[in-house]
Amino acid sequence: MEFICKRNKKYEAVEKWEGTIEINLVHGNVVEAVVQGRGSTMTIIFGDYTNGHFLCVPDLNIGCPLAAYSDVFWNYERLSALMNPVDAMTIVAGVATLMEENTCECEHIFCC
């Protein structure tokens, strides 16, 4: 699935680039996917847990909670504090796009 990433750079124009996200595995409310954009390829794991949503990038030893999957701003702020801002935006934009296409009104992964 293809998507467009947008990031406002402080005092500069908006950057835009293309990305892709492909699902490798779905196990209950947990998804493993590969995200690509701007020269990076990252395997991510995200899903639901008791307190909400989470996202991990195992190869980088990164993990954090997420707000709603569609909340790109909050998720970007959280993830970009832990990793490269361009890769963080690629990941959160990919997750938001994927979940927009595959989530029910209850916002659980593939529940309908």
Side-chain angles (χ1 to χ4, degrees):
M1 173 176 292
E2 295 182 4
F3 57 92
I4 301 293
C5 301
K6 298 178 194 171
R7 183 172 77 104
N8 291 329
K9 292 179 77 178
K10 200 171 191 176
Y11 307 114
E12 295 180 26
V14 173
E15 287 183 285
K16 291 183 182 180
W17 63 95
E18 293 182 6
T20 62
I21 185 167
E22 296 201 18
I23 297 171
N24 282 347
L25 177 68
V26 176
H27 183 73
N29 280 336
V30 177
V31 175
E32 178 184 317
V34 175
V35 180
Q36 295 181 322
R38 250 175 123 176
S40 295
T41 301
M42 298 154 286
T43 299
I44 63 170
I45 300 170
F46 67 95
D48 300 338
Y49 74 115
T50 303
N51 295 322
H53 310 297
F54 72 92
L55 179 126
C56 296
V57 187
D59 294 337
L60 300 177
N61 294 324
I62 293 172
C64 67
L66 298 177
Y69 293 118
S70 60
D71 192 341
V72 173
F73 176 78
W74 193 92
N75 294 338
Y76 169 74
E77 290 294 314
R78 194 62 193 223
L79 193 56
S80 66
L82 303 171
M83 66 184 301
N84 172 327
V86 170
D87 290 343
M89 181 53 77
T90 302
I91 290 171
V92 299
V95 168
T97 301
L98 180 66
M99 297 311 292
E100 183 177 297
E101 298 291 323
N102 294 294
T103 303
C104 300
E105 292 174 8
C106 65
E107 247 215 20
H108 286 95
I109 300 171
F110 311 117
C111 66
C112 296

